[in-house]
């Protein structure tokens, strides 16, 4: 379980997160939603320790992001909003292998895992392709493969549908849903698009650095979405 | 614009040069880059023929190559103009320097065209092992080089977007102020991309002590290549 306990964070003088507490259970599908600049991405980056809180703490399966960041990053994968910048190597299969190399896994196992991961996402055809020459949707899948290959227990998707067309949006959301249901990976989906909430079980609604709703999707009221500035 | 993205980027081809050990390729490029600056006259012609053979063996599309190098033409033209303005009596030397510079670019192009970034990292990791005596981590050097190459196309895309943004609001690149805005905008975007990459690498457990999973080994073509280069050097030096 990921436990966010009384977390506050500020960039220079601007307070971005204000005393946030929430829990992400294993195998759950949580959507973090809010208007632009409400602190969603900052919160998401706290979940695997890319950022560490100024106050409070984030605990992943008993490991603090402040003190055991290797363990927390190993458990929580992160697919960035700008997935173009997430790709370290220019050849797809080599990029997928990057995280595995860092884990110190042997060459044969890396090769097997990379092939399996590409196959599971149905992108074996991209194996030797240069990532600079493939489509945005394909780049995102390669970025996702790089995270999946490391076998995380939780994956945070930061606005995964922002840069995609309608067809690719639908595909990536279905893929995220399958990861949750078939692979039992807990999903944290950060978004400001209400349509993306389709598969989420739980909603965390944010406004100006605070959580104003944290409950099952069915309990979410229209009034709160208006208050958060997501609908008129 | 998209075609420019090919510069410095690996292309999967079944060529002899692609098959070579990356360590051999890196050391050969370094050796040949030094060699070109020690020779002159007809030796340059022999060297140029050798480079053309390398381009053909790498199965590089020569028309694309001419196009992809266009970013360097203005720089070479600038060098020529400088010679014409300030050292007209040394114009022959100037042309020679420009040609040598061009050969080095072609050699680097062959290297990056035929070697994947992970191969480059694996090779740099192995070649930089002696530096670990001074506390330098070989993987850091390898990743630094590969990230630079990886981000060349990203820079072109960012530059194109910044230029479009300025043009769409009627900015004129004839004005110094606009060029300054363009440079700041591009720098800002590149720093943002670099910051995102750093976050992504951290998130994917970047470990400077990790080793590349690629096993490198020398084959018969590597030995033939090394011998060919040594013979070339010998001919040029004796000549």
């Amino acid at each position: 379980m990921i436990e966010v306990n009384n977390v506050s964070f500020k960039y220079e003088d601007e307070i971005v997160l204000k005393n946030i507490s929430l829990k992400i259970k294993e195998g759950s599908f949580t959507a973090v939603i809010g208007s632009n600049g409400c602190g969603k991405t900052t919160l998401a980056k706290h979940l695997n320790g890319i950022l560490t809180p100024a106050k409070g703490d984030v605990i992943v399966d008993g490991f603090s992001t402040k003190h055991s960041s290797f363990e927390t990053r190993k458990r929580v994968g992160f697919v960035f909003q700008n997935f173009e910048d997430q790709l370290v190597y220019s050849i797809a299969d080599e990029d997928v292998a990057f995280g595995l190399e860092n884990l110190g896994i042997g060459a044969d196992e890396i090769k097997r895992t990379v092939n399996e991961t590409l196959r599971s996402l149905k992108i074996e055809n991209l194996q030797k392709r240069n990532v600079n020459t493939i489509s945005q949707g394909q780049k995102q899948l390669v970025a996702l493969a790089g995270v999946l290959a490391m076998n995380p227990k939780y994956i945070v998707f930061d606005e995964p549908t922002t840069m995609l067309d309608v067809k690719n949006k639908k595909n990536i959301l279905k893929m995220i849903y399958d990861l949750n249901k078939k692979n039992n990976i807990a999903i944290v989906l950060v978004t400001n698009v209400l349509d993306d909430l389709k598969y989420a079980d739980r909603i965390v609604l944010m406004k100006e650095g605070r959580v104003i709703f944290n409950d099952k999707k069915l309990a979410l009221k229209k009034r709160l979405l208006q208050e958060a500035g997501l609908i008129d | 614009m998209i075609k420019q993205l090919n510069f410095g980027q690996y292309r999967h081809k079944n060529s002899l040069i692609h098959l070579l050990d990356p360590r051999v390729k890196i050391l050969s490029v370094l050796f040949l880059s030094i060699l070109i600056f020690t020779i002159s006259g007809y030796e340059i012609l022999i060297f140029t023929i050798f480079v053309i053979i390398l381009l053909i063996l790498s199965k590089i599309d020569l028309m694309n190559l001419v196009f992809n190098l266009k970013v360097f033409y203005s720089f070479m033209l600038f060098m020529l103009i400088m010679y014409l303005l300030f050292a007209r009596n040394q114009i022959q030397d100037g042309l020679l320097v420009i040609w040598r510079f061009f050969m080095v670019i072609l050699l680097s192009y062959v290297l990056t065209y035929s070697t994947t970034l992970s191969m480059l990292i694996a090779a740099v990791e192995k070649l930089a092992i002696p530096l670990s005596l001074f506390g330098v981590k070989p993987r850091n050097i390898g990743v630094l080089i590969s990230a630079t190459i990886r981000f060349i196309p990203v820079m072109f895309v960012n530059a194109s977007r910044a230029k479009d943004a300025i043009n769409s609001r009627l900015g004129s690149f004839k004005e110094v102020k606009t060029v300054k805005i363009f440079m700041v905008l591009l720098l800002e975007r590149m720093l943002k991309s670099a910051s995102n990459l750093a976050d992504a690498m951290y998130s994917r457990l970047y470990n400077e002590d990790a080793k590349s999973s690629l096993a490198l080994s020398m084959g018969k073509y590597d030995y033939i290549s090394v011998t060919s280069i040594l013979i070339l050097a010998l001919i040029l030096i004796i000549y």
Side-chain angles (χ1 to χ4, degrees):
Chain A
M1 184 189 286
I2 304 177
E3 295 164 74
V4 179
N5 302 319
N6 306 314
V7 164
S8 295
F9 184 80
K10 60 178 183 177
Y11 287 113
E12 293 178 359
D13 291 336
E14 189 192 354
I15 299 169
V16 187
L17 298 180
K18 296 166 191 166
N19 203 30
I20 287 184
S21 294
L22 54 94
K23 285 178 181 163
I24 309 287
K25 288 182 185 163
E26 288 165 24
S28 63
F29 193 135
T30 308
V32 178
I33 188 161
S35 55
N36 291 337
C38 71
K40 304 184 296 288
T41 298
T42 306
L43 172 63
K45 285 185 174 176
H46 275 81
L47 299 180
N48 81 338
I50 296 174
L51 294 175
T52 48
K55 278 186 193 163
D57 51 28
V58 178
I59 309 291
V60 179
D61 295 342
F63 294 99
S64 160
T65 55
K66 275 184 188 167
H67 308 114
S68 313
S69 80
F70 185 85
E71 291 300 330
T72 57
R73 282 178 285 146
K74 202 163 86 177
R75 283 167 173 76
V76 187
F78 199 107
V79 180
F80 289 76
Q81 181 182 8
N82 195 346
F83 35 83
E84 179 121 39
D85 295 341
Q86 179 166 1
L87 305 169
V88 181
Y89 293 151
S90 52
I91 304 300
D93 65 345
E94 292 180 357
D95 186 77
V96 177
F98 176 76
L100 299 170
E101 280 178 3
N102 292 329
L103 281 168
I105 293 170
D108 290 342
E109 202 185 332
I110 287 182
K111 202 173 174 186
R112 190 181 52 76
T113 309
V114 168
N115 289 340
E116 265 176 22
T117 312
L118 292 174
R119 211 168 29 245
S120 72
L121 294 176
K122 299 186 180 88
I123 50 169
E124 313 97 292
N125 56 326
L126 300 180
Q127 192 169 15
K128 289 291 168 200
R129 292 283 300 278
N130 188 319
V131 294
N132 295 307
T133 62
I134 60 179
S135 70
Q136 289 294 313
Q138 289 172 327
K139 277 180 197 171
Q140 188 171 39
L141 291 179
V142 174
L144 173 58
V147 172
L148 265 185
M150 296 167 75
N151 196 22
K153 212 165 153 187
Y154 312 84
I155 301 183
V156 180
F157 288 88
D158 187 12
E159 305 199 20
T161 59
T162 311
M163 295 165 82
L164 302 177
D165 58 32
V166 178
K167 191 182 161 200
N168 278 315
K169 263 182 196 176
K170 215 171 152 185
N171 286 346
I172 193 75
L173 285 174
K174 178 71 174 62
M175 201 162 276
I176 293 170
Y177 175 74
D178 285 345
L179 287 175
N180 177 241
K181 294 297 170 218
K182 292 180 185 166
N183 301 24
N184 201 33
I185 297 172
I187 302 291
V188 178
L189 177 72
V190 176
T191 184
N192 54 14
V193 181
L194 292 174
D195 288 346
D196 292 355
L197 306 183
K198 190 175 171 186
Y199 299 118
D201 310 319
R202 202 170 180 89
I203 308 289
V204 173
L205 181 62
M206 289 184 70
K207 185 192 174 189
E208 294 167 3
R210 292 184 193 282
V211 171
I212 58 170
F213 176 85
N214 178 10
D215 205 339
K216 287 182 179 162
K217 187 167 69 177
L218 292 172
L220 181 62
K221 298 278 186 286
K222 193 177 169 187
R223 179 186 56 79
L224 280 170
L225 291 173
Q226 284 170 329
E227 191 188 323
L230 289 166
I231 55 169
D232 294 327
Chain B
M1 189 68 215
I2 293 300
K3 281 192 174 177
Q4 282 181 348
L5 306 185
N6 288 330
F7 175 75
Q9 298 302 308
Y10 170 80
R11 284 286 170 278
H12 188 59
K13 291 269 167 82
N14 188 19
S15 85
L16 184 68
I17 305 294
H18 281 71
L19 290 175
L20 295 178
D21 186 307
R23 288 169 298 180
V24 169
K25 287 191 263 190
I26 291 173
L27 291 177
S28 301
V29 167
L30 284 174
F31 180 72
L32 291 170
S33 301
I34 294 167
L35 186 64
I36 182 80
F37 283 94
T38 61
I39 57 174
S40 57
Y42 287 112
E43 297 157 22
I44 296 273
L45 187 66
I46 297 171
F47 191 94
T48 306
I49 293 168
F50 186 79
V51 172
I52 291 170
I53 293 170
L54 285 181
L55 292 172
I56 294 167
L57 286 176
S58 311
K59 295 189 178 173
I60 290 174
D61 181 337
L62 296 179
M63 287 307 288
N64 265 346
L65 171 74
V66 171
F67 187 88
N68 287 327
L69 293 180
K70 86 175 186 188
V71 281
F72 293 101
Y73 300 150
S74 48
F75 182 64
M76 288 191 276
L77 187 68
F78 174 75
M79 280 169 76
L80 184 64
I81 292 169
M82 287 295 113
Y83 268 98
L84 281 170
L85 289 177
F86 302 109
R88 195 167 286 187
N89 52 344
Q90 290 176 324
I91 190 74
Q92 209 171 343
D93 290 345
L95 287 171
L96 206 59
V97 168
I98 292 168
W99 190 251
R100 283 169 173 156
F101 176 67
F102 187 56
M103 288 296 109
V104 172
I105 292 170
L106 288 181
L107 288 169
S108 312
Y109 193 94
V110 171
L111 173 68
T112 54
Y113 184 90
S114 65
T115 317
T116 64
L117 291 180
S118 61
M119 281 289 201
L120 269 182
I121 289 184
V124 172
E125 269 178 36
K126 294 274 188 298
L127 294 172
I129 284 174
L131 291 179
S132 54
L133 290 173
F134 305 101
V136 179
K137 305 273 185 185
R139 187 167 172 83
N140 284 347
I141 300 174
V143 169
L144 193 70
I145 295 170
S146 81
T148 308
I149 298 171
R150 158 83 183 90
F151 270 75
I152 291 172
V154 177
M155 188 181 74
F156 278 124
V157 170
N158 281 332
S160 171
R161 284 179 187 157
K163 197 175 148 201
D164 289 347
I166 289 170
N167 281 339
S168 70
R169 280 180 283 165
L170 308 175
S172 165
F173 280 89
K174 287 175 186 163
E175 290 174 22
V176 179
K177 187 182 153 197
T178 311
V179 176
K180 265 164 60 182
I181 292 170
F182 170 76
M183 295 307 288
V184 170
L185 208 56
L186 181 61
L187 190 67
E188 206 174 76
R189 286 176 190 207
M190 288 310 293
L191 287 174
K192 177 81 183 153
S193 288
S195 164
N196 288 342
L197 178 71
D199 278 351
M201 285 170 65
Y202 182 72
S203 169
R204 291 169 75 189
L205 303 170
Y206 178 64
N207 173 3
E208 56 186 11
D209 292 317
K211 297 269 183 297
S212 166
S213 62
L214 297 169
L216 302 179
S217 62
M218 297 269 284
K220 70 173 178 186
Y221 291 123
D222 296 303
Y223 293 111
I224 293 171
S225 305
V226 172
T227 313
S228 313
I229 288 169
L230 290 176
I231 290 171
L232 173 80
L234 216 60
I235 291 171
L236 294 178
I237 290 164
I238 292 169
Y239 188 78

